[in-house]
Amino acid sequence: DRKEISEIQKSLGNGSVIGEEINNCRILSNTPGGDMTPKILAAAAAKAGKEAGFRVKVLGRKEIEKNNMGGVIGVAKGSEEEPKFIVMEYFNAPPQQKPLVLAGKGVTFDTGGINLKSDQHILDMHMDMSGGAAVIHGIAAVARLNLPFNVVGLIPAVENMPSGSSYRPGDILKSLSGKTIEVLNTDAEGRVILADAL
């Protein structure tokens, strides 16, 4: 039956796309910290957008500061790597349909900052941008499958490092919403940067 064969081929094609994007996500997540920065993560999002067919806009430090994203600015202060805020848009449904919004943590390496992680917990911290990787390749899968959705992806990307310019426990950061965040522990950087995304 030709119809049945056609449906099987379509299902195999869909499964292949999903599998490829899962593997792309794993490759991105497993990139060592020395080879992964906010700039490189933003470039990976731009590449995925170009290949899969969705829009990507990347905000740099000046735009992040202009938008008063105090959480992202605060966490990024200790690193020489410039923070990025990655915005991805895939619109394939009527404009009145509310978009599905995905926010992913993009901490390209997390030392814990001033509240330095122990050697037991620091080894895998190149994977602290796995949420961001999942958002990039989740949207890539949706776009490649041409699904009838509106989807927005938001990834605050930073490196959390201890240095003379790091944010400190006790600091007060003002988020994009205007609400303030009292930093009790610099290793809680994920919720601090995601506050700006949300």
Side-chain angles (χ1 to χ4, degrees), residues 62-102:
K62 286 183 180 177
E63 292 164 297
I64 290 168
E65 289 173 350
K66 188 178 176 183
N67 283 290
N68 299 313
M69 296 179 179
V72 174
I73 295 164
V75 175
K77 277 172 60 178
S79 175
E80 293 180 2
E81 299 295 340
E82 181 185 1
K84 302 290 183 185
F85 195 95
I86 306 161
V87 181
M88 295 163 288
E89 295 177 327
Y90 169 78
F91 295 130
N92 194 29
Q96 62 268 25
Q97 184 191 95
K98 288 185 179 180
L100 170 66
V101 180
L102 306 173

Side-chain angles (χ1 to χ4, degrees), residues 42-66:
K47 182 182 177 207
K50 189 175 181 182
E51 292 175 354
F54 59 90
R55 290 191 295 273
V56 180
K57 182 176 181 181
V58 179
L59 307 183
R61 187 188 303 277
K62 286 183 180 177
E63 292 164 297
I64 290 168
E65 289 173 350
K66 188 178 176 183

Side-chain angles (χ1 to χ4, degrees), residues 73-197:
I73 295 164
V75 175
K77 277 172 60 178
S79 175
E80 293 180 2
E81 299 295 340
E82 181 185 1
K84 302 290 183 185
F85 195 95
I86 306 161
V87 181
M88 295 163 288
E89 295 177 327
Y90 169 78
F91 295 130
N92 194 29
Q96 62 268 25
Q97 184 191 95
K98 288 185 179 180
L100 170 66
V101 180
L102 306 173
K105 180 179 176 184
V107 181
T108 58
F109 195 83
D110 179 24
T111 64
I114 296 292
N115 294 110
L116 192 67
K117 289 182 183 288
S118 69
D119 59 352
Q120 289 177 302
H121 298 101
I122 205 168
L123 181 63
D124 296 328
M125 285 300 107
H126 61 286
M127 297 182 74
D128 219 23
M129 38 61 70
S130 294
V135 170
I136 292 169
H137 291 291
I139 294 178
V142 168
R144 288 180 63 191
L145 294 171
N146 198 33
L147 299 180
F149 301 125
N150 294 329
V151 187
V152 173
L154 304 170
I155 304 171
V158 298
E159 189 178 59
N160 187 20
M161 299 291 277
S163 76
S165 59
S166 294
Y167 77 135
R168 297 158 291 271
D171 281 0
I172 306 293
L173 308 176
K174 192 171 186 179
S175 71
L176 176 61
S177 70
K179 292 186 177 182
T180 55
I181 302 165
E182 181 183 9
V183 178
L184 302 180
N185 186 311
T186 61
D187 198 20
E189 83 298 325
R191 66 199 75 180
V192 172
I193 64 172
L194 285 168
D196 283 331

Side-chain angles (χ1 to χ4, degrees), residues 23-34:
N23 285 338
N24 289 338
C25 177
R26 287 175 173 161
I27 290 165
L28 195 57
S29 294
N30 281 299
T31 304

